[in-house]
Amino acid sequence: MLEVRLFATLRQGREKVYHLDAAGFPDGTAVLDHLHIPKEEVAIFLRNGFHRPTDTALADGDIVAIFPPTGGG
Amino acid sequence: MSRSYYEKLARIDLTAGTVAVEPLELEKAQRYIGGRGLGTKILYDEGVATVDPLGPDNKLVYITGPMTGTPSPSSGRYMVCTKSPLTGMIACSNSGGIWGAKLKHAGWDGLIVEGVAKEWTYLLVDDGEISFHSAEQYVGMKSEDMDEALRKVHGEKASVLNIGPAGEHQALLAAIINDKDRAAGRSGVGAVMGSKKLKAIVVKASVGHVTTLHDEDALKQATSRCLGILKENGVTGQGLRAYGTAVLVNIINNIGSLPTKNWQEAYFEAAEKISGETMAETCLVKPGACFRCPIVCGRIVKLNDGKVCGGPEYEPLWAYGANCGVDDLNAINVANMLCNEYGLDAISTPCTIAAAMELYQIGAITEADCEGVPLTWGSAEAIVEWTRRMGAGETELGKRMAQGSYRLCEHYGHPEVSMSVKKQEMPAYDARGIQGIGITYATSNRGGCHVRGYMISPEVLGLPQQLDRTVTDDKAAWAKTFQDLTAVIDSMGNCLFTSFALGAQEYADLLNAATGTNYTVETLLEAGERIYNLERLFNKAAGMKPEDDRLPKRLLEDPIPGGPSKGMTSKIALTLPQYYEARGWVDAFPTEETLRRLGLAE
């Protein structure tokens, strides 16, 4: 399974967390397509806590966290 | 000729009860820009570095920048510069709201406050007139009540800056509060005000704008362009307004760098409960803005008891939350409100509670010391009650905690438990998981601090470009540039948050339009470098030693025990020499050659 966590405005009209069958999602692009998240709305894409491009390859057991442009200090 | 500066400083002697109007030396002002740079220059030149921070010879410089109060974006900033009683080094605490803009509109670039008043006093700045008033009847009053009481006397349009009870009893974590919930929070500036028996400064201005702009049309154009950039940027255009800085809770936790239980861990299982998203869903009433700010990062929240007040930003959410193991958002909101009401630094106060919790965990602080409120990890009651005790100066332990974690932990024989740099508590990003921010912490002239070079921007948020948070490559040079640019922005009087979207060219354009200077990106960054080096000279004169540029041992020796950044430690031993080389420093201080290059040689 993949655990996909969405944050901030990406939660609007979506769940906070998805558990997806890893077999159907070889990379981040497949996850974004499935959840109808346009690539340009993604500012931070984390695979297991590390920044990766959105088309990064995914594997069973991965945790993906996706954030829109946001920040602070 | 108009230069945005009013070219006028007030020197206020509390001992003698006199006010002298002094001309601002324009050339000096432009070399150090204003605000943080100019405030430090004044203190350095007047020999404040060697005085007792809580003695009569320390000075408080309340200072605006040339952009403060102008139409430029997020221009409500003023700074309080003094010698810090917490660190023994330079303090420059920066605040928003409207007080700073009003001081400028009243026709002053800044106030230099000296001496000690015979009785508790407040000052009234009414345009060009400055008068002394007894504040004896307000002693013990909390900040919000004080704000309301003084505006009742001087009119609703007056803006009030004051210290709460914490500043009165000279707690080293005391902040200065303006406009009810904006704070010049760090380094104990409120304690210095308390040592001078100065309870408040009320400002009234009969005009609502700066009348001395160099080129109003050029500033209008530069401002309009900047507003467009800020609006288009995802962080400054929508992100901060929707979720405040609190949105960082989930981001930093998901990279395994959210210090938890006094930095013993770096991943907080319950982070979602104290996040910006949860705040927006539950207790957020509306966002709030400072003077002329299109970003609107402030939070107005509703407490469970119905009270509506200023809400926490990311730092106190983390410090009271993950760092104390607390997942009760309402308790954090209450504790944060108490920081505002008692006038306490909302970073150092909860971090000191977290340190006390670890001292309790290891048995150094006993049940009896806690006087009915055990310092247990995760206790909502503890964060609220110990904040109150620290603010009010109640119980022996509460009074000790109000002096900060360094003195607390040293007293109990465990200095290693204080997660501080130069005796000031570090903020909400674990420097083991994010390598560059460790350089900022270790070398910050005011001690543990993130807003002296916000490396989180490139290392986590990808602004202006994404750097790998786990490596040390090039981080020293990045940290230096961020520190220099930040010194510029602080000195101008704009909010640092504008820099998520604006670059050095935009700041040069704004400054040149307002003041008639000819700064380029290069010379502007050099001015920032000059300011950073001047602060370092102040610290050297104040007795700083090279070994003060260090991180707590825990970050170097104890790998993060779990979560996404498991196993990581800070590589500051590698980056610090690179940083000194980039700065032209040897053993933590500028070389003669560097000083000459920056025009700082004696």
Side-chain angles (χ1 to χ4, degrees):
Chain A
M1 294 295 276
L2 292 176
E3 180 175 326
V4 179
R5 303 172 180 174
L6 303 184
F7 297 95
T9 47
L10 296 180
R11 290 178 174 181
Q12 289 166 10
R14 301 186 188 92
E15 302 294 325
K16 293 176 185 173
V17 181
Y18 291 87
H19 292 95
L20 305 175
D21 184 354
F25 299 92
D27 59 23
T29 306
V31 172
L32 295 183
D33 288 347
H34 177 71
L35 298 175
H36 305 290
I37 298 172
K39 192 182 159 193
E40 54 275 14
E41 281 185 26
V42 179
I44 300 173
F45 185 96
L46 302 177
R47 174 176 177 249
N48 299 326
F50 295 94
H51 292 72
R52 295 288 178 261
T54 52
D55 61 357
T56 202
L58 300 176
D60 193 30
D62 280 353
I63 296 173
V64 172
I66 311 174
F67 298 85
T70 191
Chain B
M1 186 183 239
S2 294
R3 300 283 190 181
S4 184
Y5 307 95
Y6 276 97
E7 301 182 39
K8 210 169 84 172
L9 297 164
R11 188 174 296 271
I12 299 162
D13 185 336
L14 291 168
T15 307
T18 56
V19 178
V21 180
E22 291 186 5
L24 179 73
E25 293 170 49
L26 190 62
E27 197 191 335
K28 183 155 97 180
Q30 290 183 335
R31 253 177 100 62
Y32 295 91
I33 302 177
R36 176 176 155 192
L38 184 59
T40 305
K41 177 69 176 160
I42 291 169
L43 293 172
Y44 185 70
D45 286 353
E46 297 186 10
V48 173
T50 54
V51 307
D52 170 5
L54 294 176
D57 295 332
N58 199 3
K59 302 181 186 194
L60 278 161
V61 180
Y62 301 83
I63 193 152
T64 64
M67 306 312 298
T68 305
T70 68
S72 68
S74 312
S75 59
R77 311 303 293 191
Y78 75 94
M79 280 128 272
V80 184
C81 301
T82 190
K83 181 175 179 182
S84 164
L86 183 71
T87 65
M89 299 183 202
I90 188 74
C92 178
S93 288
N94 185 314
S95 183
I98 191 158
W99 190 90
K102 290 238 183 202
L103 180 66
K104 180 87 180 230
H105 295 164
W108 299 97
D109 294 311
L111 315 173
I112 304 169
V113 177
E114 310 177 336
V116 180
K118 284 183 192 66
E119 59 163 17
W120 282 98
T121 296
Y122 76 89
L123 298 169
L124 171 65
V125 179
D126 189 351
D127 287 334
E129 296 294 317
I130 297 178
S131 52
F132 297 77
H133 301 261
S134 172
E136 287 290 330
Q137 60 175 312
Y138 301 115
V139 173
M141 200 176 253
K142 291 180 209 153
S143 290
E144 187 176 335
D145 296 338
M146 184 80 192
D147 195 290
E148 280 170 10
L150 287 176
R151 284 191 301 121
K152 205 169 237 176
V153 175
H154 296 290
E156 279 304 306
K157 286 188 173 170
S159 177
V160 178
L161 163 159
N162 76 93
I163 52 169
E168 289 176 24
H169 66 79
Q170 298 179 32
L172 300 187
L173 301 189
I176 292 172
I177 307 291
N178 61 279
D179 305 306
K180 291 187 179 177
D181 57 16
R182 301 289 95 197
R186 304 224 70 193
S187 312
V189 292
V192 180
M193 218 168 138
S195 75
K196 299 192 172 305
K197 292 201 164 186
L198 179 60
K199 178 74 173 156
I201 305 177
V202 183
V203 177
K204 291 173 73 176
S206 53
V207 296
H209 58 277
V210 176
T211 57
T212 53
L213 294 171
H214 170 70
D215 186 338
E216 245 174 276
D217 284 341
L219 182 61
K220 206 178 277 178
Q221 281 171 26
T223 297
S224 161
R225 198 166 62 252
C226 290
L227 286 172
I229 296 170
L230 288 163
K231 196 177 167 194
E232 285 302 309
N233 181 284
V235 174
T236 54
Q238 306 95 40
L240 279 167
R241 181 188 293 262
Y243 297 101
T245 59
V247 77
L248 283 165
V249 171
N250 276 326
I251 300 176
I252 304 302
N253 197 47
N254 270 274
I255 61 168
S257 300
L258 190 70
T260 298
K261 293 188 179 174
N262 199 38
W263 302 67
Q264 295 185 89
E265 301 162 22
Y267 185 80
F268 187 48
E269 285 292 343
E272 179 67 29
K273 289 189 185 173
I274 59 165
S275 67
E277 287 90 338
T278 298
M279 187 189 272
E281 275 174 25
T282 57
C283 55
L284 180 69
V285 177
K286 59 178 182 183
C290 297
F291 180 79
R292 288 264 183 187
C293 184
I295 301 173
V296 198
C297 75
R299 305 290 91 180
I300 311 291
V301 297
K302 192 174 196 175
L303 307 180
N304 283 358
D305 68 6
K307 181 180 166 77
V308 172
C309 60
E313 53 133 8
Y314 170 57
E315 290 292 338
L317 277 167
W318 155 74
Y320 278 118
N323 210 30
C324 291
V326 170
D327 64 5
D328 182 331
L329 183 55
N330 185 63
I332 297 170
N333 287 341
V334 172
N336 181 72
M337 176 203 69
L338 291 176
C339 282
N340 290 335
E341 294 217 323
Y342 284 91
L344 286 166
D345 176 353
I347 298 177
S348 283
T349 300
C351 288
T352 300
I353 295 174
M357 285 178 164
E358 186 172 342
L359 291 172
Y360 183 71
Q361 171 194 319
I362 62 177
I365 288 179
T366 64
E367 190 84 37
D369 293 332
C370 294
E371 300 197 36
V373 186
L375 283 152
T376 319
W377 294 119
S379 168
E381 184 195 7
I383 61 167
V384 171
E385 178 59 11
W386 282 103
T387 300
R388 196 195 63 73
R389 287 177 177 182
M390 289 166 76
E394 284 180 16
T395 76
E396 197 181 325
L397 181 56
K399 276 183 232 168
R400 200 176 291 288
M401 287 166 65
Q403 308 309 319
S405 68
Y406 180 83
R407 288 163 178 86
L408 174 78
C409 295
E410 200 178 45
H411 171 79
Y412 283 100
H414 289 281
E416 76 284 0
V417 171
S418 171
M419 299 307 288
S420 59
V421 176
K422 299 183 179 75
K423 303 180 187 173
Q424 176 162 278
E425 289 68 22
M426 292 185 298
Y429 312 88
D430 199 311
R432 290 170 290 194
I434 311 167
Q435 291 295 324
I437 196 70
I439 305 172
T440 297
Y441 292 167
T443 63
S444 157
N445 287 317
R446 71 168 186 177
C449 175
H450 57 307
V451 288
R452 283 297 180 269
Y454 191 61
M455 287 296 288
I456 303 308
S457 245
E459 294 189 282
V460 180
L461 305 175
L463 300 169
Q465 69 185 72
Q466 188 73 54
L467 302 182
D468 183 342
R469 67 183 173 88
T470 66
V471 303
T472 57
D473 309 11
D474 303 327
K475 295 289 173 69
W478 273 85
K480 173 189 177 291
T481 303
F482 265 62
Q483 287 174 336
D484 293 346
L485 182 61
T486 301
V488 167
I489 300 166
D490 288 347
S491 300
M492 286 172 65
N494 294 103
C495 178
L496 183 58
F497 283 9
T498 54
S499 67
F500 287 120
L502 305 182
Q505 184 63 56
E506 282 78 35
Y507 294 110
D509 292 346
L510 290 169
L511 191 58
N512 291 339
T515 70
T517 46
N518 293 304
Y519 276 114
T520 62
V521 165
E522 198 179 311
T523 58
L524 192 65
L525 285 170
E526 190 184 79
E529 188 179 4
R530 183 177 301 121
I531 293 162
Y532 210 85
N533 277 268
L534 180 68
E535 290 178 334
R536 185 56 52 134
L537 289 180
F538 182 101
N539 283 358
K540 189 179 184 186
M544 183 195 149
K545 299 280 181 286
E547 56 268 29
D548 291 324
D549 275 353
R550 59 116 191 96
L551 295 177
K553 221 163 67 173
R554 176 167 292 168
L555 301 189
L556 316 180
E557 296 179 1
D558 300 351
I560 290 177
S565 296
K566 183 177 175 178
M568 293 176 68
T569 54
S570 168
K571 304 286 184 286
I572 190 73
L574 206 67
T575 47
L576 198 56
Q578 296 166 352
Y579 171 84
Y580 288 156
E581 193 182 341
R583 277 242 172 265
W585 292 0
V586 170
D587 290 339
F589 297 107
T591 60
E592 275 305 311
E593 191 190 336
T594 300
L595 294 178
R596 263 199 308 278
R597 177 171 61 79
L598 296 170
L600 285 169
E602 295 289 317

